[in-house]
């Protein structure tokens, strides 16, 4: 299926590695102009070198998504570089896993700034440009926590739902010019998993990396963690005109692990 993304402009937040990088890769393969982002400029330029075929269609803009001015500048630089903006993938690194009583106010505020306000700010800045094109679209990377509570994961369990509520609101307020959807991943094989395994060992939840990994992905009916490329393909489809009648939806991509009837 031709996703009809050739020549479109996409901004993928948090895409120097992991799931965001997989989205950037699929979009570039489909012929889109892609802006990748992350804080670490060195890692970002390695990613751009890997994804770009020397056409200059993939560029990197280092920016910390918790900085409002940096988010606005990221959108402006995208538009200046490629002459417009058609698609945005909202994504940022996940919050720490901790029991509720170990999370103080500062940690709640920081997580809100990172997970929620980064999306608010990028969509606000991008909307005039998304409306200018033939079919603007936004996809937010959230988590299976929007469907099912995960132990010791209060920040994600609570704040990811704000994104689903926001996206659902935006799907109505920005229609018909802009479609807005979300994806809710289960376990995917990215560096994030190593961090989660380390955190659970530090907290004493498991006594070996093997046990932590088994708990993380062992219950998946499809019997494996996801390949980030599988998520990249879903996100590219949702962004594309081929999903032109899909908006306000949150799509699970989790190998069947989430125990929720819909
Ligand atoms: N992997 C999974 O199994 C899984 C499952 C469910 C949900 N998720 C969620 O999906 C999202 C992506 O996961 P992932 O596994 O791809 O994570 P990851 O491997 O840790 O990658 C996160 C990306 O975001 C960038 N980033 C982090 N904080 C940033 C900031 N403040 N400003 C700009 N860029 C920032 C990172 O680059 P820099 O560090 O250089 O900034 C990196 O490119 C996370 O929110 C995660 O919680 C992941």
């Amino acid at each position: 299926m031709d996703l009809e993304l050739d020549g479109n402009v996409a901004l993928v937040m948090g895409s120097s590695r992991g799931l965001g990088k997989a989205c950037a890769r699929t979009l570039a393969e489909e012929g889109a102009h892609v802006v990748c982002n992350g804080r670490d400029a060195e890692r970002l330029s390695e990613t751009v070198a890997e994804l770009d075929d020397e056409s200059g269609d993939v560029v990197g803009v280092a920016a910390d998504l918790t900085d409002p001015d940096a988010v606005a500048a990221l959108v402006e630089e995208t538009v200046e570089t490629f002459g417009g903006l058609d698609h945005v993938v909202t994504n940022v690194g996940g919050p720490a896993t901790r029991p509720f009583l170990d999370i103080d106010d500062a940690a709640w505020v920081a997580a809100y700034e990172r997970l929620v306000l980064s999306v608010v700010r990028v969509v606000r800045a991008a909307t005039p440009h998304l409306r200018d094109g033939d079919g603007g679209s936004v996809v937010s990377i959230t988590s299976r926590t929007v469907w099912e509570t995960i132990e010791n994961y209060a920040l994600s369990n609570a704040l990811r739902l704000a994104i689903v509520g926001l996206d659902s609101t935006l799907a109505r307020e920005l229609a018909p010019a802009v479609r807005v959807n979300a994806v809710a991943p289960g376990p995917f094989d990215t560096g994030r998993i190593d961090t989660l395994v380390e955190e659970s060992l530090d907290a004493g939840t498991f006594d070996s990396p093997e046990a932590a990994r088994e708990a993380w992905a062992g219950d998946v009916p499809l019997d494996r963690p996801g390949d980030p490329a599988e998520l990249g393909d879903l996100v590219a489809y949702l962004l594309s005109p081929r999903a032109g009648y899909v908006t306000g939806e949150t799509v699970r991509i989790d190998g069947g692990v989430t125990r929720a009837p819909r």
Side-chain angles (χ1 to χ4, degrees):
M1 180 178 11
D2 177 5
L3 293 183
E4 300 170 25
L5 289 167
D6 194 29
N8 285 8
V9 180
L11 165 60
V12 187
M13 298 157 74
S15 50
S16 57
R17 58 192 151 96
L19 301 180
K21 179 178 173 181
C23 296
R25 187 191 299 279
T26 306
L27 290 164
E29 286 169 356
E30 290 295 318
H33 304 297
V34 181
V35 171
C36 292
N37 154 258
R39 291 162 301 181
D40 181 334
E42 199 176 320
R43 183 172 25 227
L44 186 60
S45 52
E46 285 166 13
T47 295
V48 169
E50 185 186 323
L51 300 189
D52 194 44
D53 57 2
E54 298 181 359
S55 59
D57 288 339
V58 181
V59 303
V61 178
D64 185 338
L65 297 168
T66 62
D67 174 349
D69 293 338
V71 172
L74 175 62
V75 170
E76 284 318 306
E77 198 165 336
T78 302
V79 172
E80 275 168 27
T81 304
F82 291 126
L85 176 57
D86 302 295
H87 314 292
V88 177
V89 178
T90 75
N91 179 49
V92 70
T97 49
R98 267 180 253 161
F100 169 73
L101 292 178
D102 293 347
I103 307 170
D104 61 15
D105 283 5
W108 275 103
V109 171
Y112 180 76
E113 180 103 22
R114 197 153 74 136
L115 291 177
V116 182
L117 281 184
S118 65
V119 181
V120 168
R121 288 168 178 153
V122 82
V123 175
R124 187 191 287 135
T127 293
H129 307 290
L130 297 173
R131 280 181 163 153
D132 258 3
D134 289 338
S137 59
V138 177
V139 172
S140 295
I141 298 180
T142 65
S143 165
R144 64 182 270 217
T145 55
V146 304
W147 295 108
E148 186 177 64
T149 301
I150 298 180
E151 287 76 15
N152 293 332
Y153 219 6
L155 293 171
S156 184
N157 293 334
L159 296 177
R160 304 276 194 191
L161 281 167
I163 299 303
V164 171
L166 174 66
D167 282 357
S168 166
T169 306
L170 293 172
R172 301 191 70 84
E173 286 198 19
L174 303 186
V178 182
R179 294 180 302 104
V180 184
N181 292 291
V183 293
F188 273 79
D189 217 346
T190 71
R192 167 91 182 134
I193 299 320
D194 301 326
T195 308
L196 293 177
V197 167
E198 272 170 37
E199 283 177 1
S200 64
L201 292 174
D202 289 348
T205 315
F206 300 102
D207 49 18
S208 73
E210 293 71 27
R213 282 200 163 264
E214 174 62 21
W216 165 67
D219 195 25
V220 178
L222 293 185
D223 206 22
R224 63 177 175 85
D227 178 343
E230 294 172 308
L231 185 133
D233 289 354
L234 173 62
V235 169
Y237 166 72
L238 288 171
L239 288 173
S240 80
R242 304 308 294 261
Y245 203 52
V246 182
T247 195
E249 184 56 274
T250 300
V251 182
R252 276 190 271 167
I253 173 161
D254 63 0
V257 73
T258 308
R259 293 172 190 274
R262 72 161 294 273

